[in-house]
Amino acid sequence: MSMPARRHVLPGFRLSLGFTWAYVGLLVLIPLSSLFLKTFSLTWPQFWETVSAPRALAAYRLSFGASLVAALVNVVFGLLVAWVLVRYRFPGRSLVESLVDLPFALPTAVAGLTLTTLFSSKGWYGQYLEALGVKVAYTSVGIAVALTFIGLPFVVRTVQPVLEELDADVEEAAATLGATPWQTFTRVLFPAISPALLSGFTLAFARALGEYGSVVFISGNMPLRTEIVPLLIVTKLEQYDYAGATAIAVVMLVTSFLLLLVVNLLQRWSHRRFEVRPGA
């Protein structure tokens, strides 16, 4: 007896693939192509002069450096927050869950104004920090703080489902066999959550690279000191230097893509490296 043909809820592969390419082409490929085409209006000397100017180089260093620091900080504290939310039940847990998602819903400009107010010389945090000789607002430290704020939910929400799937009995078994807490973490927990941590890092890093609203207020926007790449691009657009803006955007786009590609390859490698095989 012949088996009935399997029916899919969504259209077949070819039709679905066609819709996928059309959607990606309209929203991603065509806009990016126009970006490259506008950049090609510059000669190579003009392009190189624009993207290698001291102001542009300083903006690259600040954007990538602050994004990297923020993503690394979020990996550590995002893991701790996710661990507490998964493994403990306490009063106010639902409130903490909502606060974790707040950067998703909060307009980035509001976040920037709030952080600037808190960390300014007369702010709730800033007045005490400056008394200790630590200045946050209008410095690269403030930029890293803003990027950490907007990137934390990506790590928490990526790691949390993986922790929920882990059986606490495995940790108890490791402790019973004489493993220290550090050995339990490095040999039992970390192999299971490392792909999720890399995913969270990638999302937080990518989000930070393109952030504008929450940074533009707390950075101070000082060229060569606290000017990020998105702000430099906006500045060139306001000066009607469209080719220069797209040239810097192309450099940012290509570099970001290569970095994210490397991180994704590392994520796949770690998934294969730490994959638990039956009978292992």
Side-chain angles (χ1 to χ4, degrees):
M1 183 175 62
S2 60
M3 297 294 293
R6 184 179 178 182
R7 302 185 63 183
H8 298 276
V9 177
L10 296 178
F13 171 74
R14 293 182 179 179
L15 185 58
S16 299
L17 183 62
F19 280 122
T20 300
W21 275 112
Y23 188 80
V24 172
L26 289 173
L27 294 182
V28 179
L29 296 180
I30 292 179
L32 293 183
S33 300
S34 63
L35 185 69
F36 281 93
L37 290 175
K38 185 64 177 178
T39 305
F40 289 155
S41 63
L42 296 173
T43 63
W44 174 251
Q46 291 174 331
F47 173 83
W48 183 251
E49 181 181 3
T50 300
V51 301
S52 63
R55 185 176 179 181
L57 294 177
Y60 299 147
R61 287 192 295 268
L62 180 59
S63 290
F64 284 99
S67 298
L68 178 62
V69 170
L72 291 175
V73 170
N74 279 328
V75 165
V76 176
F77 290 98
L79 173 60
L80 293 176
V81 173
W83 179 268
V84 170
L85 292 176
V86 171
R87 293 304 171 91
Y88 300 101
R89 295 295 180 267
F90 54 91
R93 181 175 177 274
S94 299
L95 177 61
V96 176
E97 289 269 11
S98 301
L99 291 175
V100 168
D101 292 330
L102 183 62
F104 284 146
L106 189 68
T108 55
V110 175
L113 286 172
T114 302
L115 293 173
T116 305
T117 303
L118 288 175
F119 288 100
S120 64
S121 58
K122 297 182 180 179
W124 290 357
Y125 300 160
Q127 59 180 327
Y128 300 107
L129 291 173
E130 291 200 7
L132 299 174
V134 179
K135 183 175 177 60
V136 177
Y138 314 123
T139 66
S140 58
V141 177
I143 296 174
V145 169
L147 297 181
T148 302
F149 173 80
I150 58 98
L152 179 64
F154 292 96
V155 178
V156 175
R157 294 313 183 198
T158 304
V159 176
Q160 188 174 356
V162 178
L163 289 176
E164 290 174 347
E165 293 294 327
L166 291 179
D167 193 349
D169 293 339
V170 177
E171 302 164 39
E172 296 176 3
T176 303
L177 293 173
T180 64
W182 177 248
Q183 289 174 327
T184 302
F185 174 77
T186 55
R187 299 186 181 183
V188 178
L189 295 177
F190 184 75
I193 64 176
S194 58
L197 279 176
L198 276 174
S199 296
F201 170 83
T202 304
L203 293 173
F205 181 71
R207 179 70 178 84
L209 282 178
E211 179 58 23
Y212 176 79
S214 64
V215 178
V216 68
F217 295 104
I218 198 172
S219 66
N221 308 323
M222 292 176 282
L224 300 176
R225 294 180 58 189
T226 60
E227 185 180 47
I228 58 175
V229 175
L231 177 62
L232 178 58
I233 293 173
V234 171
T235 301
K236 287 188 172 296
L237 290 175
E238 291 176 346
Q239 297 171 350
Y240 302 102
D241 185 9
Y242 300 119
T246 55
I248 294 176
V250 164
V251 172
M252 195 71 170
L253 173 64
V254 173
T255 307
S256 302
F257 176 77
L258 293 176
L259 289 174
L260 294 177
L261 179 62
V262 170
V263 173
N264 286 329
L265 292 175
L266 288 174
Q267 178 187 353
R268 292 186 179 183
W269 173 85
S270 66
H271 182 75
R272 293 194 300 267
R273 173 67 176 80
F274 297 119
E275 183 180 7
V276 178
R277 296 177 175 83

